[in-house]
Amino acid sequence: MFAMTVRTRFAPSPTGFLHLGGARTALYSWAYARHFGGTFILRIEDTDLERSTPEAVQAILDGMEWLGLSHDEGPFYQMQRMDRYREVVKTMLEQGSAYLCYCSPIEVEAMRERMRALGEKPRYDGTWRPEPGKTLPSVTEGVTPVVRFKNPLDGEVTWVDVVKGSITIANKELDDLVIARPDGTPTYNFCVAVDDWDMKITHVLRGDDHVNNTPRQINILRALGAELPQYGHLPMILGADGQKLSKRHGAVSVMEYPAQGYLPEAMLNYLARLGWSHGDDEIFSMEQFKQWFNLEHLTASAAQFNPEKLAWLNNHYIKLADNERLAGLVRPVLEREGARFEDAPALPGVLALVKDRVHTINELADASMLFYREPKPDAALLEQHLTDAVRPALAAFAERCKDVEWTKAALAAMLKEVLGAHGLKMPQIAMPLRLVVTGQLQTPAIDAVLELFGRDVVMARVAKFL
Ligand code: GLU
């Protein structure tokens, strides 16, 4: 076996944000190149001038960066490759694989109408297609021609799609595609074919909304004498209800996920499994994914977006994440919520204590907030929990606070002794302590909470209520 250099590309049209389907296509193309030590290319297909925007280009670049899907070549912009496309059009005209067509748009429409009336598929009838011995019509004054590709008349196009298996389309189904408009601008399928050729793409992974374009692109590539890439058309991502993914199912734009407090590794792991499998493995790192990813285990059926699974993975990666890193993500959220950081415990330690049960960075901020605000316990709750039976125990606790070693273990032991001496059970002191120190009844383990707040804060807050 000889080594083949794998070259893949992600070729988004910058007409909106980077959506989950696009990100998954990018991830698979990237992983396939990485698996083989190949090259991953980013190509921006911006020839639709009306719908392409610089903001959408930026949104794509931001999304790729957030996910860490680095490209080795590009970004190439199709609008900057116009000279190259014109050059290829010229060569094809010279070689006879393309021809000038002087039919006006009105004539082409009339042609289609006639075919519809005959119950045929509307297509260009080949009026201007040169054939040996054929006399072409005379040119109408004032018509600027388009350039059409001379699609093979007979036979069929077959490719073995790495996702869908063998696909065959009869050439009769494909008419002579316009590859350059009257003003000389090249058309979509032609640009894609030229780019895939020039960029020596070996594997094209893309959404299955492009299946119909593939036979046209294959015919153009063949006419150019290009080697064909392998194609894989990934099925759509649907909502849990089987409908096309939309806002109703959760955010569709990848960049809404960092805003909602998701970690990129959770999104990557989620997308990796959404359309590909490695046995029963659900949780794996990008290192593993790069090693494992293959085209054999791509799923042929449509994938269903499951926000709960994404949240579950996010919880997993939050638990795994370094607390300093999490602190950098949580701090701005806390600041927005008006957190006070003076005399408060350091954030990484707090996160270590509260992060196990949260699903997002925003939930992590909520769970940390009790350490960063003035406690305002509810009066009725205080009355209920800070009873006359409990007060002496709390006073004893406050006294012992002065010289107890300020560690979780020592605090737990001290609390036990105080309880024993006053004939109380743990909740009877833990609840009022939580209330006066944090303002709420729900907190992580009381000894851990006390340790984090520190001696001075705990003593001051208990003293206030005694
Ligand atoms: N530009 C196309 C899109 O955004 C992708 C084309 C391709 O991958 O060949 O859908």
Side-chain angles (χ1 to χ4, degrees), residues 38-303:
T39 303
F40 175 60
I41 295 156
L42 179 60
R43 179 167 91 215
I44 306 289
E45 304 202 321
D46 54 355
T47 54
D48 185 342
L49 292 181
E50 261 154 46
R51 295 176 60 222
S52 301
T53 65
E55 292 75 25
V57 172
Q58 196 53 49
I60 291 163
L61 297 176
D62 290 347
M64 298 288 282
E65 190 184 327
W66 180 63
L67 291 170
L69 302 179
S70 56
H71 51 269
D72 308 299
E73 291 179 18
F76 297 110
Y77 293 83
Q78 288 188 323
M79 283 310 291
Q80 293 173 12
R81 288 178 41 79
M82 286 296 144
D83 289 348
R84 172 63 182 151
Y85 304 135
R86 281 175 213 270
E87 178 184 85
V88 178
V89 169
K90 189 163 162 266
T91 310
M92 289 174 78
L93 282 171
E94 282 161 12
Q95 291 174 347
S97 55
Y99 60 93
L100 297 177
C101 165
Y102 286 86
C103 287
S104 66
I106 295 167
E107 282 174 281
V108 173
E109 200 29 61
M111 200 179 282
R112 295 209 165 115
E113 265 316 308
R114 281 200 298 280
M115 293 187 178
R116 271 188 214 110
L118 290 171
E120 285 170 23
K121 205 177 151 194
R123 62 209 301 276
Y124 176 68
D125 68 0
T127 301
W128 285 89
R129 181 177 169 119
E131 300 290 356
K134 173 176 167 186
T135 323
L136 294 177
S138 49
V139 173
T140 322
E141 234 12 86
V143 175
T144 320
V146 298
V147 180
R148 284 187 186 271
F149 172 60
K150 212 171 165 191
N151 198 76
L153 293 173
D154 304 311
E156 44 202 26
V157 184
T158 296
W159 78 95
V160 181
D161 195 275
V162 298
V163 183
K164 295 180 183 288
S166 180
I167 300 182
T168 297
I169 308 287
N171 274 318
K172 279 202 202 60
E173 300 288 318
L174 312 166
D175 55 2
D176 287 353
L177 187 75
V178 173
I179 60 171
R181 302 185 183 89
D183 65 0
T185 55
T187 56
Y188 175 73
N189 278 300
F190 175 70
C191 296
V192 173
V194 173
D195 286 352
D196 286 341
W197 179 37
D198 282 353
M199 295 169 195
K200 301 187 168 54
I201 301 302
T202 58
H203 297 79
V204 170
L205 297 178
R206 60 186 172 201
D208 66 2
D209 45 334
H210 289 280
V211 167
N212 290 335
N213 291 326
T214 305
R216 300 183 180 281
Q217 294 174 14
I218 287 177
N219 280 336
I220 294 172
L221 286 166
R222 285 205 174 119
L224 293 170
E227 236 174 274
L228 298 183
Q230 281 195 46
Y231 292 94
H233 290 90
L234 305 166
M236 300 234 291
I237 301 178
L238 305 175
D241 54 2
Q243 302 293 310
K244 189 175 180 308
L245 194 62
S246 72
K247 278 254 170 240
R248 293 180 293 120
H249 303 106
V252 187
S253 159
V254 168
M255 286 315 278
E256 271 185 50
Y257 286 90
Q260 289 180 10
Y262 285 82
L263 298 178
E265 55 267 46
M267 178 57 84
L268 287 165
N269 191 156
Y270 181 71
L271 291 175
R273 261 301 276 116
L274 190 69
W276 175 85
S277 61
H278 183 265
D280 292 332
D281 292 311
E282 291 295 348
I283 294 183
F284 42 83
S285 69
M286 277 304 103
E287 267 322 302
Q288 288 170 311
F289 185 53
K290 283 190 286 188
Q291 274 172 35
W292 293 344
F293 184 70
N294 57 15
L295 303 178
E296 287 76 51
H297 292 98
L298 289 168
T299 319
S301 54

Side-chain angles (χ1 to χ4, degrees), residues 400-440:
R400 294 284 307 272
C401 275
K402 288 179 187 160
D403 55 12
V404 69
E405 189 198 343
W406 205 261
T407 62
K408 197 172 117 174
L411 283 161
M414 181 266 264
L415 272 170
K416 254 207 181 128
E417 284 167 30
V418 172
L419 289 173
H422 290 81
L424 297 172
K425 295 237 167 340
M426 188 50 124
Q428 289 175 288
I429 195 160
M431 287 314 196
L433 251 184
R434 285 192 166 102
L435 270 181
V436 301
V437 175
T438 73
Q440 60 192 54

Side-chain angles (χ1 to χ4, degrees), residues 255-394:
M255 286 315 278
E256 271 185 50
Y257 286 90
Q260 289 180 10
Y262 285 82
L263 298 178
E265 55 267 46
M267 178 57 84
L268 287 165
N269 191 156
Y270 181 71
L271 291 175
R273 261 301 276 116
L274 190 69
W276 175 85
S277 61
H278 183 265
D280 292 332
D281 292 311
E282 291 295 348
I283 294 183
F284 42 83
S285 69
M286 277 304 103
E287 267 322 302
Q288 288 170 311
F289 185 53
K290 283 190 286 188
Q291 274 172 35
W292 293 344
F293 184 70
N294 57 15
L295 303 178
E296 287 76 51
H297 292 98
L298 289 168
T299 319
S301 54
Q304 288 201 339
F305 178 60
N306 178 345
E308 287 82 34
K309 186 170 170 192
L310 175 58
W312 170 73
L313 282 168
N314 207 43
N315 163 262
H316 169 81
Y317 285 104
I318 286 174
K319 284 192 283 191
L320 222 61
D322 174 69
N323 294 318
E324 295 285 346
R325 172 185 167 212
L326 291 177
L329 297 170
V330 169
R331 184 175 289 272
V333 185
L334 285 175
E335 277 165 2
R336 269 205 305 282
E337 308 276 314
R340 298 179 2 174
F341 292 97
E342 318 84 67
D343 302 326
L347 193 45
V350 168
L351 298 180
L353 183 62
V354 302
K355 72 181 185 175
D356 277 13
R357 274 185 295 257
V358 304
H359 293 95
T360 64
I361 295 298
N362 299 356
E363 284 181 24
L364 191 52
D366 286 347
S368 316
M369 197 59 181
L370 72 119
F371 290 93
Y372 302 102
R373 62 160 182 238
E374 200 56 50
K376 293 201 181 70
D378 179 79
L381 285 178
L382 271 178
E383 201 176 318
Q384 182 190 340
H385 291 280
L386 193 56
T387 57
D388 289 342
V390 167
R391 277 177 183 277
L394 206 58

